[in-house]
Amino acid sequence: MITIIEGLPEGVLGADATGEITADDYRQVLVPAIEQALAGGGKLRMVYRLGPEYQGMQGDAMWQDAKLGAGHLKSFDRVAVVTDVEWIAHAIKAFTWMIPGEAKVFPNAEYDAAVAWLTR
């Protein structure tokens, strides 16, 4: 399940991933939130937290994630991925050169530091 994180600083969108992520989570929650955040123009700063309750992503959700990234390739200014899942952290670090804007990985214990980095 993906839920939108409330109470973040102005200009920062947050998403919390818990349990197993589905394509419907993207279509019904994340994509509309991103499109609404981008409606005013400008670029997006986003924190995407995969906390201890995160259990993985269904194959169709991976496809939705890829489509979202391709469709909004230049829409992101900064993305902070907060996770203790090592393979995800390594993948983000390995492919940051492909992501327009900046992307950085933080462990779950440094969630507040991730949000602070996005607001600088």
Side-chain angles (χ1 to χ4, degrees), residues 4-21:
I4 300 304
I5 301 170
E6 301 292 332
L8 291 172
E10 182 73 26
V12 176
L13 174 66
D16 217 353
T18 58
E20 186 173 46
I21 307 307

Side-chain angles (χ1 to χ4, degrees), residues 27-89:
R27 286 190 291 262
Q28 297 171 5
V29 178
L30 193 55
V31 170
I34 289 172
E35 289 176 354
Q36 180 181 0
L38 292 170
K43 293 196 174 208
L44 182 63
R45 291 180 179 213
M46 181 174 177
V47 59
Y48 192 33
R49 179 171 54 188
L50 295 90
E53 301 85 16
Y54 174 74
Q55 296 175 353
M57 188 180 281
Q58 293 179 358
D60 57 348
M62 288 182 204
W63 173 243
Q64 291 300 315
D65 185 67
K67 283 181 19 181
L68 176 64
H72 293 287
L73 196 57
K74 296 183 180 183
S75 299
F76 292 92
D77 181 35
R78 284 186 170 183
V79 177
V81 178
V82 180
T83 185
D84 291 334
V85 180
E86 288 189 35
W87 74 266
I88 292 175

